[in-house]
Amino acid sequence: MKNDHNALRHLRLAGVIRLGLGGGRGPTDAYVFDPHRLALPAWVLALEAVGAPALLVTLDRHLDVVVPERPAAVPDVSAGLRALDEHARWELDVRNYDHILAAMEAGIVGDALLIARTRPRGAFAGDTYVDTRGRPHRLVTVSTVDRAAEAWNHPAPGDAVREVLEKAERVLLDVDLDCFTSLSDADPTTVLPWPRAIIREFLLPEGSEPFWDAVLEKTVALTLAREPHHCGGLLAGGALFQDAAEVLFRELLRVEPP
């Protein structure tokens, strides 16, 4: 009964859907939720069997590296799933941009490879974040998958994509659905979801296969934040999820979409 209880612990995480991804390449589990800060407890679950920390590879429209309001108050990963789930829901910012550094504070994430196009106000600007426990964490930032793949295939001086990937023992692959959106030039409050062809062009550019092979061979779980309020609303976000899932699951991970 103990093993059955542990296997169903994800059912305690309200709003987090766990998916089995058997038969493809890369992770065997995925966790889908709406607020991106719920990645925190999902990462705890994903790493229970293999140990923390992991390299975080995240794709997002925004760099979610704002320092938590009370970084020293983030529970350590040893405090367990319930403590970190509660902290994510009640202590982290509802704007969903401080969960990555919170995960570093908790000892869940070591270094991070951040594929993102915009930097929110207040985002940490350095390339090394030292948490309140004195541990350094590298933040390697590139704007597109194409740029990450180029840095993997042909590193230029200063490129660190290959370095952090080769150093990592395990990877958490994280995707915010709003990565596949843009703001309208005519009205900056209007979100424009990308069509499937543009999602494919961004996620699977020519020459990216060696980069993705390096990521997926170490990936223990995929986390996917739907964030409908950043994706044009519930209906537009649902349609975007369908298009993104076809590319992300069927073409990248080579499994059936959820």
Side-chain angles (χ1 to χ4, degrees):
M1 290 297 293
K2 182 178 179 180
N3 289 339
D4 290 342
H5 173 74
N6 287 342
L8 296 175
R9 294 179 73 203
H10 68 283
L11 296 178
R12 294 287 185 181
L13 299 181
V16 177
I17 302 168
R18 184 178 185 177
L19 305 173
L21 302 178
R25 64 170 182 165
T28 57
D29 289 303
Y31 299 86
V32 181
F33 38 81
D34 283 349
H36 208 161
R37 64 188 182 279
L38 293 187
L40 200 68
W43 293 337
V44 174
L45 260 183
L47 294 174
E48 279 185 330
V50 296
L55 171 70
L56 178 66
V57 177
T58 182
L59 292 85
D60 205 330
R61 195 173 79 208
H62 317 88
L63 284 165
D64 291 336
V65 289
V66 173
V67 178
E69 184 177 352
R70 297 190 301 133
V74 179
D76 185 77
V77 66
S78 61
L81 177 63
R82 184 170 180 171
L84 281 155
D85 181 48
E86 183 173 328
H87 188 85
R89 293 175 192 271
W90 292 99
E91 299 296 332
L92 295 187
D93 200 295
V94 294
R95 287 167 287 188
N96 294 289
Y97 56 25
D98 57 358
H99 52 279
I100 292 178
L101 298 192
M104 292 179 172
E105 290 286 348
I108 299 166
V109 167
D111 298 331
L113 171 55
L114 309 156
I115 302 174
R117 309 192 305 278
T118 62
R119 183 180 295 274
R121 182 178 300 176
F124 181 78
D127 57 11
T128 300
Y129 175 72
V130 180
D131 65 35
T132 56
R133 295 161 175 89
R135 298 169 299 205
H137 305 267
R138 296 191 67 181
L139 302 174
V140 179
T141 303
V142 293
S143 56
T144 63
V145 174
D146 182 67
R147 180 68 190 89
E150 178 65 20
W152 170 264
N153 294 330
H154 307 290
D159 284 343
V161 170
R162 178 182 285 270
E163 186 178 342
V164 293
L165 272 172
E166 289 183 337
K167 173 187 170 185
E169 295 182 16
R170 59 196 67 88
V171 168
L172 292 165
L173 178 59
D174 175 68
V175 178
D176 190 330
L177 193 61
D178 76 1
C179 180
F180 310 122
T181 66
S182 298
L183 298 180
S184 168
D185 289 338
D187 178 7
T189 64
T190 299
V191 175
L192 302 176
W194 294 355
R196 189 179 305 179
I198 301 302
I199 296 172
R200 181 181 296 110
E201 184 179 334
F202 179 87
L203 198 60
L204 301 171
E206 184 177 354
S208 64
E209 193 70 13
F211 165 74
W212 281 122
D213 285 342
V215 171
L216 293 176
E217 71 177 0
K218 296 182 178 182
T219 298
V220 297
L222 165 70
T223 49
L224 177 56
R226 291 182 293 199
E227 297 264 343
H229 55 292
H230 285 161
C231 297
L234 287 172
L235 294 180
L240 177 62
F241 179 82
Q242 288 186 312
D243 282 332
E246 283 291 327
V247 181
L248 180 61
F249 289 91
R250 194 185 301 280
E251 298 186 40
L252 178 62
L253 301 182
R254 298 171 189 168
V255 296
E256 287 298 307

